[in-house]
Amino acid sequence: VAFHIQSYRGRNDQTLHENIKYIIDRYGDHGAFYKFPSSTGKNLPLFYIYDSYLTPPESWSEFLTPSGSHSVRGSAYDSMFIALIVEERHKHDILAGGFDGMYTYFASNGFSFGSSHHNWKAIKAFCDGNNLLFIPSVGPGYTDTSIRPWNNHNTRNRVNGRYYETALQAALNVRPEVVTITSFNEWHEGTQIERAMPKKTVTRVYLDYQPHGPEHYLELTRSWAEQFKKEKQQWLM
């Protein structure tokens, strides 16, 4: 389990520091708590910080750089912190803030600079040049009009799995260390890959994967995960 920390009222570098302390104190020794091998050789917790751009890099640096006023670096709470890149300028803010990497989150190709597949090569090059992780996020499609009726222009058709595979191929093309999936079960944004049966209610028709079976996207995920593993072994040769 890796934690994805949403924005909340009053979230800043200080409150996030308190959150990290609480999470590591409470769960850090659990066998299911995800650890990532850092460049220092230590296995560290990894946290995704959603909407990280809402806090200025000067504030993040107080928490995330060794010289910061309440730096976590080198302490028992040191971790890998991954910021969200939405606009191109965010990559410089993420670097200045002391983050360890960036992820793209959104499943709608073209919705943001970060979520646009054609920008991933340039983002990866920036990250490689600054010792940052680039973690592209892939999704099976996108449709959120049940909660955002005005947002139809960001709908992305699944094309029976081809949209997902296109995103996965785009991710593997930049040779990332990690790929994230948006999402396992966010039904309200139409990005789920979990098992899905045809279902109707009075107010809603739930998305299913016909003509494929209920586990189509889990099967695709397994196949691409195996391919990713093979390709990573070749990159390291």
Side-chain angles (χ1 to χ4, degrees), residues 119-137:
N119 292 325
W120 287 355
K121 185 178 179 181
I123 300 171
K124 177 64 159 53
F126 177 87
C127 288
D128 286 350
N130 290 283
N131 197 30
L132 297 172
L133 273 176
F134 175 52
I135 303 181
S137 304

Side-chain angles (χ1 to χ4, degrees), residues 95-186:
L95 179 63
F99 284 93
D100 300 286
M102 57 190 78
Y103 74 120
T104 63
Y105 184 73
F106 300 107
S108 184
N109 181 23
F111 168 68
S112 69
F113 172 84
S115 71
S116 299
H117 301 166
H118 67 267
N119 292 325
W120 287 355
K121 185 178 179 181
I123 300 171
K124 177 64 159 53
F126 177 87
C127 288
D128 286 350
N130 290 283
N131 197 30
L132 297 172
L133 273 176
F134 175 52
I135 303 181
S137 304
V138 301
Y142 190 86
T143 176
D144 66 353
T145 50
S146 65
I147 55 169
R148 302 182 186 99
W150 64 88
N151 201 33
N152 189 56
H153 62 286
N154 280 316
T155 294
R156 301 291 182 268
N157 193 294
R158 291 182 175 234
V159 207
N160 293 324
R162 290 200 294 278
Y163 180 89
Y164 192 37
E165 295 199 88
T166 299
L168 284 156
Q169 186 62 67
L172 266 60
N173 284 347
V174 300
R175 298 187 171 188
E177 276 290 306
V178 180
V179 177
T180 62
I181 297 168
T182 308
S183 66
F184 181 70
N185 60 359
E186 289 220 3

